[in-house]
Amino acid sequence: MSAAYATFGLAPAMRAGDVLADGGYRVHRDFVDFVVDGRPLLFRLSDLDAVSPLASDVPPAIFTAQVRALLLEAEPPLPDGRFVIYGCPECEDLGCGAVTAVIERDGEDYVWRDFAWQTEGRADLERNGYHGIGPFRFRGPEYRAALGALTDGSAAPRRRVLLIGARVAVLARLAAALRTIGVGADITQDARQVPAEELRGYDAVAFGRAVDEADRAAVLRAFDEAGVEVAAVAGLAPIVPLLVAQIEHALDRSPLPQRRLTGLTAADGAAEIEVTSPCRVRVTAHRLDRFHRTRSQDVFDGTLEPGRHRVDLDPRAVRGEAYVVARTSGGVLTAPVGRGGRG
């Protein structure tokens, strides 16, 4: 079988969770993405909202079974030697649609070919094939080493965040929102009183605006003394969707060169957005009115090509103290609206 060699690797990725204005939500998912020739394979699939089978929140036995399947140590789950490469982030139903491909051995090499969008038992390559993707030929030792390393330990734990602030009601709503999308959240007034073994269970700590620099430094010292590297989030405002976005960004473990959404600023009536590959971007403006009530408005929702883009902001949506959130399926950035605010 002829196909040029491609490099194979793995990298942490996430499907960013979200709390929607209509009361709905999108679940946060951490997973391991496939990196082909130094670029996430998912980025070649335009704006697909999907995760690989190597998700961190599946039971260890299932995670190991997925790895063994990709190594061809188990039978293909679909007819014609096809495997799910990316599936629905909300469920495992093939009816929602999945990207599948044939995986086979050719001597020592592994070959991925005939990529297709599949919603039923058999793939229709003529109608739903990704004709511009693959085939990819991976060197066996490199391929086995990358996947084999995943079975050395269990999948990454589900995310947990420690919330610290003075406004208990806001923290309670934030914690509930985070738990809804699949991110664990606990509230405390002073992390210095939390035992070290408990601090090691957190991936991020979020501070309300009322927590001063001295108290923040003391909390971070407590984490440092517990031997854990934690992401620190300084809450921009008591707006729950905005804080969720800040925390989601802090939890993003994907390497910076492999992110789609890489820049966000907001000033002078416009937002500047930078993306590295074609993707759908949704921009939402949040503000506090003069009675400190939250007002939110979607100001842009469309597909952007690689590069920097200017999006005009409705002056009514960013009046007073305002912030913008830009989202793709796999990442999120926030920025205050003002002179030179950067996310």
Side-chain angles (χ1 to χ4, degrees), residues 97-234:
V99 176
T100 67
V102 174
I103 301 179
E104 59 189 9
R105 290 284 297 272
D106 185 17
E108 281 293 302
D109 300 335
Y110 289 78
V111 177
W112 289 20
R113 63 174 175 85
D114 295 341
F115 287 81
W117 178 253
Q118 190 167 345
T119 57
E120 51 191 25
R122 293 188 180 276
D124 186 337
L125 293 179
E126 186 66 28
R127 183 177 181 181
N128 297 317
Y130 288 99
H131 301 294
I133 300 179
F136 301 116
R137 176 182 291 271
F138 304 118
R139 290 180 172 84
E142 178 185 63
Y143 183 88
R144 288 190 295 271
L147 287 168
L150 295 177
T151 61
D152 292 343
S154 61
R158 299 193 68 175
R159 295 310 195 196
R160 290 184 65 207
V161 181
L162 186 62
L163 309 177
I164 302 175
R167 302 183 65 172
V168 177
V170 173
L171 295 180
R173 293 199 301 273
L174 175 58
L178 290 169
R179 292 167 188 153
T180 296
I181 66 173
V183 177
D186 300 306
I187 300 171
T188 186
Q189 297 301 310
D190 187 356
R192 291 168 291 187
Q193 305 303 318
V194 179
E197 59 269 21
E198 292 186 23
L199 291 179
R200 296 187 187 104
Y202 294 102
D203 302 278
V205 55
F207 300 102
R209 294 198 295 189
V211 182
D212 61 30
E213 289 296 330
D215 286 338
R216 293 182 190 181
V219 168
L220 294 177
R221 278 198 304 273
F223 275 100
D224 186 60
E225 292 168 358
V228 58
E229 184 176 341
V230 67
V233 177

Side-chain angles (χ1 to χ4, degrees), residues 25 45 83 91 116 119 187 193 210 279 295:
Y25 62 90
L45 302 171
F83 294 78
C91 67
T119 57
I187 300 171
Q193 305 303 318
C279 60
R295 305 295 185 185

